[in-house]
Amino acid sequence: MRSQFWGERLYAQDKNATLSTTIETFDKGLFSHGNDSAYPPDRSQAVFPTALNVGWSNSSLDDAVALALRNFADAIRDAALADGQNVSHAAKYVNSALFGTPLEDMYGGNVERLRRIRAAIDPNDVMSLAGGWKF
């Protein structure tokens, strides 16, 4: 299995490395309450987040681990689509999205509306000093 092979290679380069996954389960009706919101951009079907968690202490592996995580996410999505699962509309979960993830991958067509809200509420862009996703 590819992930096992990658995990063994990571561990060989960093004995402090850990690899785990988290599957978050919520009520199927989660998005049937309230009004439309920025996330998820499509509330017609609930898709629950799954996180692949990797810990490492060797900073020289930062780029390799980030690339591997992106490749894992793409492979999982491709496998789900090939299996006939309707996940083509699924937004990436904001709290687990890897740095550099495009805002559109999380918020879909809501990005421009969120930018207008940010500009109206925070015209001096103070919140951008706090880190996080930039609108």
Side-chain angles (χ1 to χ4, degrees), residues 75-98:
I76 290 168
R77 184 182 185 99
D78 292 347
L81 290 168
D83 190 42
Q85 296 181 47
N86 183 16
V87 296
S88 60
H89 73 289
K92 294 192 177 170
Y93 186 50
V94 179
N95 290 342
S96 300
L98 194 59

Side-chain angles (χ1 to χ4, degrees), residues 1-20 52-56 61 65 68 72:
M1 180 177 204
R2 265 182 108 175
S3 62
Q4 182 182 14
F5 174 71
W6 181 80
E8 289 172 0
R9 284 186 18 217
L10 175 62
Y11 185 72
Q13 297 175 59
D14 185 342
K15 297 297 183 201
N16 294 315
T18 59
L19 182 63
S20 65
L52 179 61
N53 307 296
V54 179
W56 67 101
L61 300 174
V65 171
F72 275 130

